[in-house]
Amino acid sequence: MGNLVTELLGGKGYFGYARNGLAYHVIQTDVDDSGFLPNPYLDVYEYRGR
């Protein structure tokens, strides 16, 4: 009853890991003006197979 997450977020190979109904995507932010690179964070999505 909805759209596939990969269609909404743009294509193949987007998620590096999926298990037990959850899919994970690592987001690395850009270096800020002071040269600091913040830690990456995870986007976690629930998925349901057919």
Side-chain angles (χ1 to χ4, degrees):
M1 294 296 156
N3 296 323
L4 294 174
V5 172
T6 53
E7 290 174 358
L8 292 172
L9 299 176
K12 301 175 183 173
Y14 190 81
F15 296 100
Y17 184 78
R19 186 172 181 173
N20 296 330
L22 298 175
Y24 302 89
H25 176 69
V26 178
I27 305 294
Q28 177 62 64
T29 57
D30 294 330
V31 176
D32 65 15
D33 293 335
S34 66
F36 177 74
L37 180 62
N39 287 329
Y41 63 93
L42 289 176
D43 276 343
V44 181
Y45 298 89
E46 180 180 7
Y47 71 91
R48 298 178 188 169
R50 291 184 187 192

